[in-house]
Amino acid sequence: MAAELSTSINIKEPRWDQSTFVGRAKHFFTVTDPRNILLSNEQLAHAHKVITDYRQGIVSPGLTEDELWRAKYVFDSAFHPDTGEKMILIGRMSAQVPMNMTITGCMMTFYKTTPAVLFWQWINQSFNAIVNYTNRSGDAPITVSQLGTAYVSATTGAVATALGLNALTKHVSPLIGRFVPFAAVAAANCINIPLMRQRELQHGIPITDENDNRLGESTKAAQQAISQVVVSRILMASPGMGTNNIASPAHLNSCFERCFLLSFSFSLVFATPLCCALFPQKSSISVSRLEPELQEKIRANHPGVERVYFNKGL
């Protein structure tokens, strides 16, 4: 009879070393695997029970270490790390490839009229807003009013910026014009992400010591978290911009459109986890860079703490 699995495995942290890019890449290749969105509610519930029980020292009969880690990554792919809530399906990082493939395909197909371009830009930025909200940092509740204000400001600002910059392609040289779509995506991300996560910038996100003891909330940590996410998202979008720069919809027939869309989708499979891996999910900041009043509080109550940690979101 096999021995019962030890309860000392640290499933609060990823399986691979997060201090290295390779370790983070392995982690995110597992979390962002598109096959995770095909998991049934029963499978998600089972993974949730396995992980919840294990954290309480209860080991499911016959559970192996590999099965435990598999349950953890199923759990991580579907449940928010701070709130513990099941995340919106299309907002999960595992939905990035199929959703972006669908939206990009529609943007490449319906581009001939201004209303069509406007509609699909709005759909694209609405999807981005859902992803940004779903993968936010912190566990503070957000009211419907706050969420509605954030959504309208984020999508309106991002769509206007993207359309405005894309319109510049008619007035600049072809060489410069090739980079305008990428600039549009970058600018839209710089608007959409902070606005959808504006509560974090206003009230801060939870910070902890290395043992996960909560020390307070910091707006400085929120600024660093959102900046890192913006960089990751801009680079994540670059494969799509490469596709658009090589061949715009006006120059493609349906066969080439399908080929480019397949190429884009294939590159997204790698771009999503690799760009998520640029920065650790559990990021950190020196106490000396926090707000002065928070520095004083930490140094008074926790004199040995020099660095604090936070979930940066995705």
Side-chain angles (χ1 to χ4, degrees):
M1 184 176 179
E4 186 177 87
L5 186 66
S6 168
T7 57
S8 62
I9 299 171
N10 183 14
I11 59 170
K12 289 183 179 180
E13 302 294 335
R15 189 172 193 175
W16 298 281
D17 182 6
Q18 296 299 282
S19 66
T20 68
F21 176 76
V22 172
R24 295 194 296 271
K26 289 180 178 179
H27 167 70
F28 283 113
F29 264 109
T30 309
V31 171
T32 65
D33 187 336
R35 293 174 296 180
N36 288 337
I37 64 172
L38 301 176
L39 296 170
S40 66
N41 287 330
E42 290 74 19
Q43 289 172 303
L44 295 179
H46 174 71
H48 187 281
K49 183 178 186 305
V50 168
I51 296 304
T52 303
D53 285 351
Y54 189 84
R55 287 174 175 171
Q56 296 173 351
I58 304 170
V59 180
S60 303
L63 183 70
T64 67
E65 183 172 349
D66 285 341
E67 289 171 342
L68 175 65
W69 283 113
R70 173 57 185 159
K72 172 187 164 51
Y73 277 102
V74 168
F75 179 91
D76 286 351
S77 74
F79 295 91
H80 193 276
D82 291 330
T83 66
E85 297 173 349
K86 185 186 290 186
M87 295 186 286
I88 303 167
L89 181 63
I90 63 172
R92 300 172 195 170
M93 294 310 289
S94 52
Q96 280 284 295
V97 173
M99 288 300 300
N100 273 313
M101 180 179 68
T102 302
I103 293 172
T104 300
C106 290
M107 292 175 74
M108 292 176 68
T109 303
F110 306 106
Y111 63 91
K112 295 182 180 179
T113 66
T114 299
V117 172
L118 183 62
F119 175 76
W120 284 106
Q121 281 285 356
W122 171 71
I123 289 292
N124 184 41
Q125 293 305 326
S126 294
F127 168 65
N128 288 338
I130 291 171
V131 173
N132 296 334
Y133 169 74
T134 303
N135 295 279
R136 68 196 183 280
S137 174
D139 54 6
I142 300 175
T143 67
V144 174
S145 174
Q146 290 173 326
L147 187 57
T149 301
Y151 168 75
V152 171
S153 59
T155 53
T156 302
V159 168
T161 301
L163 289 175
L165 284 173
N166 279 320
L168 289 177
T169 56
K170 302 174 183 177
H171 308 289
V172 297
S173 69
L175 179 61
I176 296 175
R178 287 179 179 273
F179 296 96
V180 172
F182 181 75
V185 167
N189 272 309
C190 290
I191 292 171
N192 197 316
I193 295 172
L195 285 175
M196 282 306 296
R197 296 177 59 174
Q198 59 186 273
R199 191 193 184 287
E200 299 170 38
L201 295 171
Q202 295 167 350
H203 303 286
I205 58 176
I207 56 172
T208 67
D209 61 17
E210 59 183 2
N211 297 315
D212 289 331
N213 298 309
R214 192 158 174 165
L215 305 177
E217 287 76 36
S218 169
T219 57
K220 294 291 186 181
Q223 292 169 15
Q224 178 175 309
I226 291 172
S227 298
Q228 291 176 344
V229 171
V230 167
V231 171
S232 295
R233 291 291 190 77
I234 290 173
L235 295 176
M236 201 182 294
S238 59
M241 294 307 98
T243 297
N244 289 339
N245 290 338
I246 293 169
S248 64
H251 299 117
L252 293 178
N253 59 35
S254 59
C255 178
F256 279 121
E257 280 187 27
R258 287 193 293 270
C259 290
F260 275 108
L261 190 56
L262 286 172
S263 173
F264 168 60
S265 303
F266 181 75
S267 62
L268 258 184
V269 171
F270 293 93
T272 300
L274 292 178
C275 291
C276 284
L278 290 175
F279 307 100
Q281 170 102 43
K282 185 178 180 180
S283 198
S284 66
I285 186 172
S286 171
V287 171
S288 62
R289 292 180 55 199
L290 298 174
E291 301 88 314
E293 62 276 12
L294 191 52
Q295 290 185 41
E296 292 178 10
K297 176 184 174 183
I298 292 174
R299 284 171 177 154
N301 299 327
H302 309 275
V305 175
E306 295 295 332
R307 199 161 193 85
V308 296
Y309 300 85
F310 56 90
N311 167 34
K312 71 172 177 61
L314 289 174

